Amino acid sequence: MSTLTGTWTLLRLILRRDRLLMPLWVVFLGLVPLAYAPSFRDLFPTDAARAQYAAAGANNAGFVALYGRLDGSSLGELVAWRAGFVPVMIALISLLVVIRHTRVEEETGRRELVGSTVVGRHAGLAAALIATLAANLLVAVVLALGTSGEGLPVAGSWAFGLEFAAAGWAFAGVGAVAAQLTRGAGGARGIAIGVLGAAYVLRVVGDLSGMGGGGLSWLTWLSPIGWAQRLHPYSGDQWWVLALPAACTSALAVLAVALSGRRDVGGGLLPERTGPATAAPSLRSPSALAWRLHRGLLAGWIAGFLALGVVFGGVAKSTGDLLDENPNLQQVFARLGGKAAIVDSYFAAVMGILGLVAAGYAIQATMRLRAEETSLRAEPLLTTGVGRLRWAGSHLVFSVLGPALALAVGGLAAGLTHGLNTGDLGQVPRVWAAALAQLPAVWVLAAVAVALVGLVPRLAPAAWGALAACLLLGLVGAALQLSHWLLDVSPFTHIPRLPGGTVRTAPLLWLVALAVALGVAGLVGLRRRDIPVG
């Protein structure tokens, strides 16, 4: 029997399991940049206006850090540049999908069960990679057809789409290798996301150095994110660059197969730290066990929010400096409060991004309930004197308080960094409050996950779909001029735009009430249904 026997059968299984989530993120990420084309046409209708904006953006360290280098001023180049962070999102999703269908399958015992049939050793890994690479190609097709429909050059549109796909390919390979290294899916995700973070930092440092004529611009060429952006859609279309992510993906896939053949099913190549033979007295309660399970994840997210806060706070001053270089923006924001208004608008936008990221953590913490159930670890615990609600509550504490702590750290870091840059530490409380104002919306999405786990556990992954819908509405809803009733579906639409906006308590109270209602419904369902439900 070949080691790849059963690959196509497992591929069909993956497509069936991801029949809701995969089309959602493929279409969503493929359509997000389409909203930028009409926005740039409206804001900068002439070549001269676009050239002026491009000159300001290309010399703005904050924009270069977020989106990459801008080498031209055509409409297509501006759209591709503005979408410069989307490849990072595609890379993150790609590595998570591969780990989900490889390491998670082993962790839950399904890999061993499937492997007892006529299925080759590497069939699961091959199926996961094929599905993820094909999904990235579909993102490229959706984006290329969409941007071509907006009147942008066809060749540049295909280069734009392949830029996105190239980032996903490379980090699908990273996820495949990471899945071979650790016994747990959490450790594999941590390794792969750490590599993604390092690649992003290399791209940022290289681009910032190149902007200033420094000697570290070569660092960009060490990053798969940098490779993708060096394709330069609508500006030369350097097709040869695609050879780099293609070679990297192939090499990582071969390495993953080789590593997979050197380990036992269910095991990892990295040695595990053995624990004591008997549990400490501090582990004699569900809350203590939940803390042991969640502490690593919480620490990682807090560190990430700290880093994001420092980056967002450091960029804030440079957004205000745009007014010094663009008379048109000066006239617009003079009526709104000048430079302070554009900085407040910037912080309101990035705090919304922090809120969406925090919602991702809240959903992940909530889904730990489902993971404990499907891995058959919850049932032995519930056979003791621990009740279902007590068990669930020990995990949901992290769904509620974890995002609050992460947002508090991110907001404080952003406020302090901005305050130190400008010499005005009075901005710290305003920025911190803007971060914490996102909590009611975050709790609503966490409560959606609780409701799905409790009432329809097989559809629990759809909680990620709810987050994706909120992200889509937040990024492109206003640009596409969607109706208010559709925008109001996202709880983040009802969060006040702080700092600088007006705070109304009624929407926040309604969001909290909705979160409580959904959470209670989910807990009632969890208390009444069978455990486990496969």
Side-chain angles (χ1 to χ4, degrees):
M1 181 177 66
S2 169
T3 58
L4 296 178
T5 299
T7 297
W8 299 112
T9 301
L10 292 180
L11 177 60
R12 290 196 299 271
L13 178 61
I14 289 174
L15 296 178
R16 177 177 174 79
R17 292 179 61 194
D18 286 0
R19 62 187 181 275
L20 296 178
L21 290 179
M22 190 171 287
L24 186 65
W25 69 262
V26 166
V27 174
F28 162 63
L29 293 174
L31 293 180
V32 162
L34 301 189
Y36 300 141
S39 297
F40 277 119
R41 283 196 185 99
D42 293 340
L43 289 173
F44 309 103
T46 65
D47 292 340
R50 286 194 291 269
Q52 186 179 33
Y53 175 78
N59 294 292
N60 186 289
F63 284 167
V64 171
L66 286 174
Y67 307 131
R69 295 287 300 275
L70 177 60
D71 297 317
S73 60
S74 69
L75 180 61
E77 288 171 305
L78 290 176
V79 170
W81 170 73
R82 180 61 179 79
F85 194 76
V86 178
V88 180
M89 300 169 58
I90 293 177
L92 176 62
I93 293 174
S94 297
L95 66 88
L96 291 177
V97 169
V98 172
I99 291 172
R100 175 174 181 248
H101 291 293
T102 53
R103 175 50 59 181
V104 172
E105 292 298 288
E106 294 190 41
E107 190 176 22
T108 57
R110 289 191 291 264
R111 161 74 186 278
E112 191 171 10
L113 181 63
V114 172
S116 64
T117 64
V118 187
V119 173
R121 180 178 182 87
H122 304 310
L125 175 60
L129 283 172
I130 291 171
T132 307
L133 298 181
N136 280 289
L137 281 177
L138 286 177
V139 172
V141 171
V142 171
L143 178 57
L145 295 178
T147 49
S148 298
E150 288 289 334
L152 298 179
V154 174
S157 295
W158 283 104
F160 191 17
L162 290 174
E163 173 188 330
F164 282 20
W169 293 340
F171 282 93
V174 170
V177 172
Q180 315 308 317
L181 300 179
T182 66
R183 184 182 181 89
R189 293 188 191 102
I191 292 171
I193 292 174
V195 173
L196 175 59
Y200 181 70
V201 170
L202 287 172
R203 199 279 299 164
V204 170
V205 173
D207 284 352
L208 290 177
S209 178
M211 182 185 71
L216 297 177
S217 59
W218 57 271
L219 289 176
T220 300
W221 292 100
L222 300 180
S223 167
I225 302 298
W227 299 342
Q229 293 183 349
R230 286 303 176 271
L231 194 58
H232 292 308
Y234 309 106
S235 175
D237 301 334
Q238 300 186 73
W239 300 101
W240 66 268
V241 176
L242 289 174
L244 296 176
C248 177
T249 304
S250 301
L252 290 173
V254 171
L255 177 60
V257 170
L259 295 178
S260 176
R262 295 174 61 86
R263 64 178 180 84
D264 294 332
V265 174
L269 289 173
L270 296 179
E272 291 188 87
R273 186 180 62 180
T274 57
T278 58
S282 59
L283 277 177
R284 292 178 180 174
S285 70
S287 298
L289 177 59
W291 165 250
R292 176 66 64 88
L293 294 174
H294 284 268
R295 64 184 182 183
L297 180 67
L298 178 61
W301 278 91
I302 289 176
F305 270 76
L306 177 63
L308 282 176
V310 171
V311 171
F312 288 154
V315 168
K317 184 176 182 295
S318 63
T319 60
D321 293 341
L322 281 177
L323 290 184
D324 299 332
E325 304 171 359
N326 194 320
N328 294 331
L329 288 179
Q330 288 178 8
Q331 296 175 7
V332 172
F333 280 92
R335 298 189 294 269
L336 301 177
K339 185 177 291 189
I342 194 172
V343 174
D344 283 352
S345 296
Y346 164 79
F347 271 122
V350 297
M351 290 303 116
I353 294 174
L354 280 184
L356 287 164
V357 176
Y361 164 67
I363 292 172
Q364 186 176 7
T366 303
M367 295 296 287
R368 185 76 197 202
L369 283 172
R370 182 62 178 158
E372 292 294 296
E373 179 184 355
T374 57
S375 62
L376 305 180
R377 291 191 293 266
E379 195 172 15
L381 181 63
L382 295 175
T383 59
T384 65
V386 177
R388 294 188 182 194
L389 295 183
R390 185 183 176 195
W391 166 68
S394 66
H395 289 278
L396 296 182
V397 165
F398 293 91
S399 305
V400 175
L401 299 183
L405 181 58
L407 283 170
V409 169
L412 184 61
L416 280 173
T417 305
H418 178 58
L420 292 174
N421 278 346
T422 60
D424 181 11
L425 292 178
Q427 299 295 320
V428 175
R430 300 174 72 243
V431 177
W432 188 64
L436 292 180
Q438 310 297 319
L439 272 176
V442 172
W443 287 336
V444 168
L445 289 181
V448 168
V450 175
L452 289 171
V453 169
L455 299 173
V456 281
R458 290 187 178 90
L459 297 180
W464 294 106
L467 176 60
C470 292
L471 185 59
L472 175 62
L473 292 173
L475 287 177
V476 302
L480 295 178
Q481 297 181 346
L482 298 178
S483 60
H484 285 293
W485 69 267
L486 184 57
L487 294 175
D488 287 343
V489 170
S490 170
F492 290 93
T493 304
H494 307 280
I495 298 298
R497 289 186 61 81
L498 299 177
T502 302
V503 178
R504 293 186 300 148
T505 58
L508 299 178
L509 293 176
W510 278 111
L511 289 176
V512 173
L514 178 60
V516 171
L518 289 171
V520 169
L523 291 175
V524 170
L526 182 67
R527 189 170 182 268
R528 293 182 176 180
R529 69 172 174 82
D530 292 336
I531 291 181
V533 173

